[in-house]
Amino acid sequence: MFAQRTSWKLTPNRLTICLEDLRKKKTVLYDLTESNPTRCGFPYPQEKILNAFVDPKNLEYAPDPQGMHRAREALSALYRENNVFIDPEKIFLTASTSEGYSYLFRLLVDPGQGILFPRPSYPLFQFLGDLNDVKTASYPLVYKKNWGIDFEALRSTIHSNIKAIVLVNPNNPTGSFVKQGELDILNDLCQKQSLTLIGDEVFFDYAYEKEDYKFYKRLSHNKEVLTFVLGGLSKSLGLPQMKLSWIMVNGPAKQVEKALKRLEIIADTYLSVNTPVQNALPSWLELAKEIQGAIVKRIVANRDCLLEEINKVFHCEILNAEGGWYVILKIPNNLSEEDWTLEFLKKDHVLVHPGYFFDFESEAYMVVSLLPREEIFQEGLNRLLKRVETVVS
């Protein structure tokens, strides 16, 4: 009755069952997995956000496959402030980055062909691949005091059916940005193997140290090979409920021209982005620095707290990162990652992500969000670190 592509294992694991039980009992939880900024107490400029909906143009329907030109111009202007020059005619608006990925998969990949994703990385990619009949494979990021691409392993995964390489910049959850040396090697690989680059830069605005941006490379600058860059309001304005994202296209002129024509047909088939959000976008983008500033302040404060507390214990290590909303803790492998997460949840009411959720190859790692309110983060962190010391001792 159902398609093979949706034959996922749907049986809940022990962690899910335990979490549901605690929530039914209305247990107070310290959720250190929270990734929804609208639940983290940020001071959104409410009137400015909502007033942007009061526009008579919202009663008119004038569809454009790429999205309203005025909205795309506003995005282009925002990027120009960061010395990124992208023609509005090379921007497509989508309802989400997931939809953006789907457009690109449909553009680039025939059934049975594949795309390379980084590992560790967010588990959503497997589902997107399945739903679009794309074979997903991975290339490893390795940690040697800092995270970087294992290019020897990457080369070994490339074969004739691979069509594109995905870069999450900075990666989620490792928080590692793409550097110029890495991009040079990637461009060379793509040119030799006729591959496309897909850059997911939804977290790019969240570096821990602003002065380090000079070392990080936006893929929206990349003209050496056909390159698609994804962004969206979910992260850049902390507004996931507004459902607007974008694809930017760059690269050799002839390839870009062909890609734009094909993407236009794909986008015209769906026309998924609603009119009020597009009309509101220019006003909302004026709030970008204010909202991003509040989020950066929170993630830096929580990270500083973690760095301070981690020095007080002997059995935990924080892995170096450069940006993003997450941090990775390495803890002893006395227990499996699932047993550790259950230990934290059952005894301390602290929820964290186990490393296997992000496809870490070894144990034991915990992935912690830096978004929660500072008092929740501090209490949850203290409970977690005490539990590790108790178990290991």
Side-chain angles (χ1 to χ4, degrees), residues 307-342:
L307 290 170
E308 181 179 348
E309 293 300 319
I310 209 79
N311 289 327
K312 300 177 183 177
V313 297
F314 297 103
H315 301 103
C316 294
E317 176 188 356
I318 177 174
L319 302 194
N320 287 331
E322 297 157 336
W325 289 3
Y326 290 92
V327 68
I328 301 168
L329 295 178
K330 184 177 183 180
I331 63 176
N333 58 2
N334 299 54
L335 304 175
S336 71
E337 285 179 343
E338 186 173 49
D339 285 338
W340 270 121
T341 54
L342 285 168

Side-chain angles (χ1 to χ4, degrees), residues 86-379:
I86 186 78
D87 186 342
E89 298 306 318
K90 296 179 181 177
I91 298 175
F92 284 79
L93 302 184
T94 65
S96 66
T97 48
S98 294
E99 183 177 68
Y101 274 114
S102 292
Y103 283 12
L104 296 178
F105 293 170
R106 293 300 185 185
L107 172 70
L108 299 170
V109 184
D110 287 322
Q113 294 180 326
I115 290 183
L116 294 177
F117 295 90
R119 185 185 71 244
S121 197
Y122 197 65
L124 175 68
F125 293 139
Q126 182 64 57
F127 291 98
L128 288 173
D130 290 347
L131 289 172
N132 288 279
D133 301 321
V134 170
K135 290 188 177 297
T136 58
S138 63
Y139 63 92
L141 304 179
V142 291
Y143 185 77
K144 298 176 181 178
K145 295 186 178 179
N146 291 289
W147 290 95
I149 298 171
D150 184 338
F151 282 103
E152 183 177 350
L154 171 61
R155 289 186 180 92
S156 71
T157 62
I158 296 174
H159 53 77
S160 59
N161 273 338
I162 296 296
K163 299 300 295 291
I165 300 172
V166 171
L167 299 168
V168 184
N169 185 34
N171 187 60
N172 175 19
T174 65
S176 48
F177 284 86
V178 175
K179 316 302 190 302
Q180 183 64 60
E182 293 176 315
L183 186 56
D184 290 341
I185 297 173
L186 287 162
N187 280 332
D188 182 63
L189 271 174
C190 289
Q191 288 171 341
K192 290 178 178 177
Q193 302 287 342
S194 298
L195 300 175
T196 296
L197 285 180
I198 299 174
D200 183 335
E201 297 192 341
V202 296
F203 288 108
F204 199 91
D205 298 303
Y206 299 102
Y208 301 142
E209 302 290 346
K210 284 189 176 181
E211 59 268 24
D212 287 343
Y213 269 121
K214 60 181 177 288
F215 301 115
Y216 310 148
K217 300 305 296 184
R218 282 187 180 272
L219 276 86
S220 42
H221 285 297
N222 197 46
K223 296 184 179 181
E224 301 301 314
V225 300
L226 184 60
T227 303
F228 302 92
V229 177
L230 299 167
L233 296 185
S234 177
K235 307 302 186 297
S236 64
L237 288 184
L239 295 173
Q241 76 277 31
M242 298 307 181
K243 304 306 295 179
L244 186 122
S245 296
W246 49 88
I247 304 169
M248 299 187 294
V249 188
N250 210 341
K254 289 184 179 179
Q255 293 180 4
V256 168
E257 182 182 0
K258 291 180 180 179
L260 292 175
K261 289 179 180 178
R262 294 183 178 220
L263 269 177
E264 182 175 350
I265 296 174
I266 295 172
D268 194 37
T269 303
Y270 293 97
L271 293 173
S272 61
V273 187
N274 71 74
T275 296
V277 166
Q278 293 185 75
N279 280 326
L281 184 63
S283 297
W284 288 346
L285 293 180
E286 294 176 0
L287 308 173
K289 290 183 179 179
E290 178 181 351
I291 296 174
Q292 289 170 10
I295 295 176
V296 169
K297 182 179 178 181
R298 172 76 59 78
I299 63 177
V300 169
N302 281 340
R303 184 169 176 270
D304 287 345
C305 170
L306 176 55
L307 290 170
E308 181 179 348
E309 293 300 319
I310 209 79
N311 289 327
K312 300 177 183 177
V313 297
F314 297 103
H315 301 103
C316 294
E317 176 188 356
I318 177 174
L319 302 194
N320 287 331
E322 297 157 336
W325 289 3
Y326 290 92
V327 68
I328 301 168
L329 295 178
K330 184 177 183 180
I331 63 176
N333 58 2
N334 299 54
L335 304 175
S336 71
E337 285 179 343
E338 186 173 49
D339 285 338
W340 270 121
T341 54
L342 285 168
E343 187 84 359
F344 299 140
L345 191 56
K346 288 180 178 179
K347 296 183 178 178
D348 304 296
H349 302 155
V350 175
L351 178 62
V352 294
H353 284 311
Y356 69 76
F357 184 79
F358 294 87
D359 205 19
F360 278 78
E361 286 192 309
S362 60
E363 298 195 12
Y365 296 95
M366 297 292 131
V367 178
V368 173
S369 170
L370 296 170
L371 284 189
R373 295 175 187 266
E374 292 173 37
E375 63 275 13
I376 294 174
F377 183 86
Q378 291 171 11
E379 180 62 26

